[in-house]
Amino acid sequence: MIPLSPLDVGEILTGAFATLGRYWQPLLGVAVAVYGAALLVTGGALAVAYAAVGDHLSAVVDTPGRATPAWTDVQPLIVAFAGIWIVVMAALLLSTAMMQTCCPAIVQEAVLGRPVKVGTILLRALSRVPAVIGTVFLSGLIAMVPALLFVTGVVSTTVAYVDPGRWDMTGWLIALGFVGALVLAPVAIWLWVLFSLAPAVVVIESRGPIGALRRSAELVRGSWWRICGISLLAFVIASIAGMAFQQLFNMMGTFPGTFDTGEFSYEPTLGEIFVAVSGYLVLALIAQLVSQIFSTTFPQLVLNLLYIDQRIRKEDLAPALIQAAGPLPPPGPPPGRHR
């Protein structure tokens, strides 16, 4: 997949695309299994919520235009929405952690030219997911501090704009939020890059979260700007490709005759509207799934190749990789005429 020597930017990006091209079946299988499970969990949560508060939803929808829905109907919907949001966030966190666990295992085998089976990768990933979640959580706390400060500044500004009488109380919160976020953002970026190789360390070296963060900092030290630039480039490529996938699917949905929307009655019901837009919803869901798979997988492949590259540069890993890959196949017979 890559030359077993120090890699430049082109070789890392080419290796990531080559891994996608040659190992697309296990990558797609893992992604479909992971995000499919998350989608089933989300659908189950929606079904349970609808069964619990469906009557209240109908009462709110059927409320006359200028009337205010009853609070006894709105409150259960808010509780159900909060529950669904928690389930969706937990499913998304777990699925992302699974992908961050599976990608290093696939890259490790791809670098050595070995075949990869989806079942083997999933079984290996399950044992390392808790450590990866811990690593992602600890590194995520770094970015959470400036983000919370920025949100504090935005909320305080909004409160002061709506009620100018509260300016004396919110003024210091506005300054603390925006200035604090501006000061801590560079520190958070520096630490994020410093710990960006930790998931690969967790999977390949079987270390715990704290040990993985320390190991990542050790590997990144001295190459921070290079890893930052290549990682940023990978995320930009993944974002552009994800948006391109979504636009492609959106264009497919605009072609005449793509979906049979049927005919509305004079006063269409919610069921008729749902049937009319169901095809577009399915297409949008597929587009989002494809975009999510690529935007999650490609940067992880690049980060894992950066991990291998740093070990080649700092620890002379290339001879060990060559030995692990096994001997080269014997050369074939020279070309000639056959009788």
Side-chain angles (χ1 to χ4, degrees), residues 209-299:
I210 301 297
L213 294 177
R214 293 175 178 172
R215 174 68 166 157
S216 176
E218 176 186 342
L219 291 173
V220 173
R221 191 173 293 114
S223 303
W224 190 94
W225 285 105
R226 178 173 177 272
I227 293 176
C228 178
I230 296 176
S231 302
L232 181 61
L233 180 59
F235 280 106
V236 170
I237 292 173
S239 300
I240 294 175
M243 289 187 293
F245 284 133
Q246 290 186 345
Q247 291 300 321
L248 176 62
F249 281 97
N250 292 336
M251 289 177 59
M252 291 172 57
T254 60
F255 292 151
T258 304
F259 300 108
D260 183 12
T261 57
E263 295 182 358
F264 286 130
S265 60
Y266 179 72
E267 293 183 355
T269 62
L270 287 176
E272 291 176 338
I273 295 174
F274 178 77
V275 171
V277 302
S278 59
Y280 296 98
L281 292 176
V282 171
L283 193 61
L285 182 62
I286 295 174
Q288 182 62 37
L289 181 61
V290 173
S291 175
Q292 180 69 27
I293 290 174
F294 186 85
S295 60
T296 302
T297 302
F298 184 76

Side-chain angles (χ1 to χ4, degrees), residues 131-150:
V132 171
I133 291 178
T135 303
V136 173
F137 176 76
L138 291 176
S139 58
L141 289 177
I142 299 169
M144 192 178 297
V145 175
L148 289 177
L149 288 173
F150 180 77

Side-chain angles (χ1 to χ4, degrees), residues 53-277:
V53 300
D55 295 338
H56 298 284
L57 178 62
S58 299
V60 171
V61 172
D62 295 336
T63 302
R66 296 186 178 181
T68 302
W71 174 248
T72 54
D73 291 323
V74 174
Q75 184 179 13
L77 296 180
I78 295 175
V79 174
F81 177 80
I84 292 172
W85 184 83
I86 292 173
V87 171
V88 170
M89 290 298 103
L92 183 61
L93 173 63
L94 184 59
S95 58
T96 302
M98 279 291 294
M99 290 303 298
Q100 289 181 326
T101 309
C102 292
C103 284
I106 293 175
V107 169
Q108 185 180 16
E109 301 300 322
V111 168
L112 300 177
R114 296 172 178 170
V116 176
K117 295 182 179 179
V118 175
T120 304
I121 294 298
L122 288 175
L123 288 176
R124 181 179 176 185
L126 286 174
S127 63
R128 303 305 302 161
V129 164
V132 171
I133 291 178
T135 303
V136 173
F137 176 76
L138 291 176
S139 58
L141 289 177
I142 299 169
M144 192 178 297
V145 175
L148 289 177
L149 288 173
F150 180 77
V151 170
T152 301
V154 172
V155 172
S156 301
T157 303
T158 304
V159 171
Y161 177 79
V162 173
D163 187 1
R166 295 178 177 270
W167 178 261
D168 293 338
M169 182 180 66
T170 59
W172 69 274
L173 288 175
I174 295 173
L176 175 65
F178 289 118
V179 174
L182 185 64
V183 171
L184 293 180
V187 178
I189 295 173
W190 177 71
L191 290 174
W192 182 86
V193 174
L194 200 65
F195 298 143
S196 60
L197 306 184
V201 174
V202 169
V203 178
I204 297 177
E205 300 185 22
S206 300
R207 300 202 182 197
I210 301 297
L213 294 177
R214 293 175 178 172
R215 174 68 166 157
S216 176
E218 176 186 342
L219 291 173
V220 173
R221 191 173 293 114
S223 303
W224 190 94
W225 285 105
R226 178 173 177 272
I227 293 176
C228 178
I230 296 176
S231 302
L232 181 61
L233 180 59
F235 280 106
V236 170
I237 292 173
S239 300
I240 294 175
M243 289 187 293
F245 284 133
Q246 290 186 345
Q247 291 300 321
L248 176 62
F249 281 97
N250 292 336
M251 289 177 59
M252 291 172 57
T254 60
F255 292 151
T258 304
F259 300 108
D260 183 12
T261 57
E263 295 182 358
F264 286 130
S265 60
Y266 179 72
E267 293 183 355
T269 62
L270 287 176
E272 291 176 338
I273 295 174
F274 178 77
V275 171
V277 302

Side-chain angles (χ1 to χ4, degrees), residues 18-30:
T19 304
L20 283 173
R22 297 183 187 180
Y23 292 85
W24 67 270
Q25 290 180 331
L27 283 169
L28 181 62
V30 168

